[in-house]
Amino acid sequence: MKLSSKLQDVSKRQRIIFICAGLLCLTPFISSPMALVLGFTLASLGWVPVDWNITALTKKLLSYSIIGLGFGINVTTAIEASTHNFGLIVGSIFFTLGLGFVLTRALKFDHVTGHLIASGTAICGGSAIAAVAPAINAKNDQTATALACVFVLNSVALFLFPAVGHLLNMSQYDFGVWSAIAIHDTSSVVGAASAYGDEALKIATTIKLARALWIIPIALVSAMVFGGDKRKINLPYFIGFYCLAIAIAHWLPQFNTVYDTLFMLSKRALVVCLFLIGAGITVQKMRASGPKPLLLGVMLWAAIGVTSLVYILYFQ
C-alpha cells in the first residue's frame, strides 16, 4: 500500500514538473532550441509522465499551430514563394530520393528503412515517414528507426541552421527557403526560421508545406514500387486547413488584429511542440538505431543541405 502511494506521488510530481516546463515554453524566455533541450533533459531524467501519449499530443498541437500560422501569411507572398521555388522543391525531392536509393545499396542497408529515411529527408520528416510506412508495409522497428534518425538530425538543425545563416549573413528570404528545403520536420523548420526572424518564418512555412504536398504522389509511387497498399496512405490534412486560413485572412482583412494574435499564439505553441518532441527523444532510442541509419541520414542531409545552399546563394 505504501509502495503504491509512493509511486502515485512520484507520478504526480512528474506531471507537475512536466506541465510547468511546458507552460514555461509558452513564455518568450524559452527559444525553440532551449525547448527541445528542456524536453530531452526531462526525458533523460525520467520525468516524462509514462501514461501520457506524448506523440499523439505533439501531432495534434503541431497541426493546430501550423493552421494558426496560416492567418499570418500573405496570400500573394505565399503564391510567389511557392511558384518561384517550384523547381528547387521538385528537384530537391527527386535528387534526395535518388541519392537515397544509391546510398542504401552502397551501404548494403535495409531497403525499406533506407527508403523511409530518404522520404523523410526529401519531403517532411516524420510526417512523410508516417505516410509512406503503411503504404510500403514497413515493420514497426523499421519505422521507429527512420523516425529516430530524423528526430536526431532535426534536433541538430535547430542549432546549426540559424548559426550558419548568421555566419553567411543570409537574408530573411534566403534563409526561409533554405530551411524549408534542407530541414526535415515542419516543426524544426518553423523553429529554426522563427529564431532567424518573422519574414524567414513566413517564407519557410509556406515553402515547407508546398513541399509537404508531395507526400501524396511519393507515397502512391512507393506503394506501387514496394507492392504495398495504396489505401493505407496517411495524409496530413492540416495542410488544407493551413491554406484555408491564408484564404480567410485574405478575404476578411477587417479581422487583422485577431489574425495577428492567432499567429503569435501559434508561434509559441510551436515552441511547446519542440519541447514535446524533445521529451520523446532518449539516449536509449538513439543508440538502438545503430550507426548505419544515422550515417545514411547524415549523408543525405549533408547532400541536400549543401547543394540547396549553394543553389540559393549563387544561382537563384
Side-chain angles (χ1 to χ4, degrees):
M1 202 66 181
K2 288 183 178 179
L3 180 60
S4 176
S5 178
K6 286 183 178 179
L7 289 174
Q8 287 179 353
D9 289 340
V10 170
S11 179
K12 186 181 290 186
R13 283 198 296 271
Q14 284 179 340
R15 291 176 182 176
I16 292 172
I17 292 171
F18 193 78
I19 290 171
C20 288
L23 291 174
L24 184 63
C25 292
L26 288 172
T27 69
F29 304 109
I30 302 295
S31 64
S32 300
M34 289 171 63
L36 189 81
V37 172
L38 180 59
F40 176 74
T41 302
L42 293 186
S44 300
L45 294 173
W47 290 353
V48 177
V50 294
D51 56 338
W52 287 6
N53 191 339
I54 302 297
T55 301
L57 179 61
T58 306
K59 188 176 180 180
K60 285 185 179 179
L61 184 59
L62 178 61
S63 298
Y64 297 147
S65 301
I66 290 172
I67 293 169
L69 287 180
F71 288 103
I73 306 296
N74 179 276
V75 67
T76 304
T77 302
I79 293 172
E80 286 180 355
S82 299
T83 53
H84 182 67
N85 293 282
F86 181 77
L88 180 59
I89 293 169
V90 176
S92 65
I93 289 172
F94 286 100
F95 167 73
T96 306
L97 289 173
L99 183 60
F101 175 78
V102 172
L103 291 177
T104 298
R105 290 200 162 211
L107 292 170
K108 297 180 180 178
F109 183 50
D110 167 37
H111 66 286
V112 172
T113 309
H115 183 67
L116 289 177
I117 293 172
S119 298
T121 307
I123 310 173
C124 58
S127 298
I129 293 170
V132 173
I136 63 175
N137 297 322
K139 297 176 182 177
N140 288 338
D141 61 327
Q142 292 171 322
T143 305
T145 297
L147 287 170
C149 176
V150 165
F151 285 156
V152 170
L153 296 179
N154 273 326
S155 305
V156 175
L158 273 174
F159 297 91
L160 180 62
F161 272 63
V164 172
H166 287 300
L167 181 66
L168 298 177
N169 198 27
M170 296 180 71
S171 68
Q172 291 279 315
Y173 181 88
D174 284 349
F175 184 84
V177 175
W178 183 47
S179 59
I181 294 296
I183 300 179
H184 307 75
D185 273 333
T186 305
S187 56
S188 293
V189 170
V190 172
S194 179
Y196 206 76
D198 275 355
E199 184 185 345
L201 171 63
K202 293 175 182 179
I203 295 296
T205 305
T206 301
I207 295 176
K208 181 62 179 178
L209 294 182
R211 185 178 162 205
L213 290 173
W214 283 84
I215 285 179
I216 301 169
I218 295 302
L220 288 171
V221 171
S222 298
M224 290 187 286
V225 172
F226 284 82
D229 189 348
K230 289 178 283 187
R231 294 172 296 180
K232 291 183 179 179
I233 296 172
N234 297 319
L235 303 178
Y237 294 107
F238 66 84
I239 296 175
F241 288 107
Y242 169 81
C243 295
L244 180 61
I246 295 176
I248 291 172
H250 178 70
W251 290 330
L252 301 171
Q254 61 267 38
F255 301 110
N256 273 337
T257 305
V258 176
Y259 304 147
D260 290 342
T261 302
L262 287 172
F263 181 77
M264 293 304 298
L265 289 174
S266 297
K267 281 179 62 181
R268 295 316 307 173
L270 279 162
V271 177
V272 178
C273 285
L274 290 165
F275 163 71
L276 295 174
I277 289 170
I281 301 172
T282 62
V283 175
Q284 290 81 4
K285 284 183 180 179
M286 289 188 284
R287 284 177 179 170
S289 62
K292 277 193 177 182
L294 193 56
L295 177 60
L296 174 62
V298 170
M299 291 171 74
L300 286 173
W301 189 41
I304 189 60
V306 172
T307 54
S308 61
L309 178 61
V310 170
Y311 177 83
I312 291 166
L313 292 180
Y314 299 105
F315 298 102
Q316 184 165 268

